[in-house]
Amino acid sequence: MKSFMAILAVTTALSVPVLAEAAPVTFTTKMRNYGGNGAYLALYVTDARGKYVGSLWMAGGRTRYYQHLMGWYRATGGNTGEINGITGASVGSGRSLKITLDLADALFDAGYKLHIDAAAENMRESPNEIVVPLTSSGSGKAVSGSRYIANFTYKR
Amino acid sequence: MKSSKLLVALSASTLLFTAVASQAMPIFNQDTGASVLEATQVGFRWFDDDDHHEGRGDDDHGDDDDDDDGGYRRGGTVQPQSATPPSNGLFTPGTKANAQMN
């Protein structure tokens, strides 16, 4: 019984800090009615110095098109290892993509920025269509895109 | 004498061929013009490298034949996708990413 309690105490002590340091964050991207084929989107994070940190999501499954997501491609060299398990379908004109991720709290209010590159077939590429600082105060506030994205919000 | 007749005949046939070819050229040009116009309207082809199959040569076993990535074309709500994200320090280890398209 004592050993059970000890194990329980240890696992609780280990798990509570993890829970305290992470929270689900929902990213909602609403596309404009731009009239073309489904758009490829790359969501990725840079640090305060603008250095690529990691990817959060890739909308679009054909790797040969990733070169058109220019900011992401430049940062990663098109390495698909960066997006294993976080790749979904491209997003059609007028549709919205809602992604929920458990992210480390340390990403917020620490100078990190979320970038979204967008591109659609036979239409112009739109690197950094969205660039938004990840802050607590920015949660729930809509940001407008310039070409394909009508608006974008993240919510903690 | 014989060779000069042959030369005249050759010159005449060359002239005739040139005349016919010059008449045919506009028709050929129209086709080419359409292609050029199409390329200009498009601006640039997004998928210029369609002939390049990813690491598989030209054996048509790659993913190039079907550009449908399962998303927007099917209409309605796309089924939620749940997957394990990479260990890049952004995600809580062991959690799953969830995406939904409407």
Side-chain angles (χ1 to χ4, degrees), chain A residues 48-129:
Chain A
R49 291 175 296 170
K51 190 182 170 193
Y52 172 82
V53 177
S55 299
L56 294 180
W57 194 259
M58 174 64 80
R62 304 292 171 192
T63 56
R64 70 178 186 277
Y65 306 153
Y66 291 168
Q67 62 185 300
H68 299 284
L69 301 164
M70 294 159 72
W72 179 87
Y73 195 85
R74 200 175 297 124
T76 64
N79 178 13
T80 54
E82 295 286 329
I83 49 167
N84 279 344
I86 48 170
T87 302
S90 55
V91 191
S93 173
R95 296 204 167 198
S96 61
L97 172 68
K98 194 174 186 177
I99 310 158
T100 304
L101 309 166
D102 276 337
L103 297 183
D105 277 351
L107 279 176
F108 289 85
D109 303 312
Y112 291 100
K113 285 183 179 173
L114 175 90
H115 299 245
I116 305 181
D117 289 1
E121 186 175 7
N122 297 331
M123 298 176 83
R124 292 189 65 176
E125 292 137 336
S126 185
N128 290 311
E129 171 140 1

Side-chain angles (χ1 to χ4, degrees), chain B residues 19-94:
Chain B
V20 169
S22 66
Q23 289 301 309
M25 199 63 97
I27 299 165
F28 179 73
N29 268 350
Q30 278 175 358
D31 280 347
T32 308
S35 302
V36 169
L37 180 63
E38 186 179 78
T40 306
Q41 283 174 339
V42 164
F44 65 94
R45 290 289 300 173
W46 201 37
F47 310 136
D48 279 339
D49 56 350
D50 273 0
D51 290 338
H52 300 288
H53 297 247
E54 292 154 30
R56 294 184 178 91
D58 288 328
D59 56 6
D60 282 336
H61 293 296
D63 62 1
D64 292 337
D65 294 330
D66 177 14
D67 279 341
D68 189 347
D69 58 14
Y72 60 97
R73 291 181 181 89
R74 303 226 163 106
T77 301
V78 173
Q79 289 298 307
Q81 178 176 340
S82 185
T84 305
S87 305
N88 58 11
L90 302 177
F91 301 96
T92 309

Side-chain angles (χ1 to χ4, degrees), chain A residues 13-75:
Chain A
L14 287 173
S15 62
V16 164
V18 170
L19 291 174
E21 291 170 6
V25 184
T26 302
F27 299 91
T28 306
T29 310
K30 170 83 178 121
M31 306 303 289
R32 291 179 201 275
N33 288 310
Y34 57 84
N37 286 336
Y40 272 51
L41 304 175
L43 283 76
Y44 58 99
V45 174
T46 57
D47 65 15
R49 291 175 296 170
K51 190 182 170 193
Y52 172 82
V53 177
S55 299
L56 294 180
W57 194 259
M58 174 64 80
R62 304 292 171 192
T63 56
R64 70 178 186 277
Y65 306 153
Y66 291 168
Q67 62 185 300
H68 299 284
L69 301 164
M70 294 159 72
W72 179 87
Y73 195 85
R74 200 175 297 124

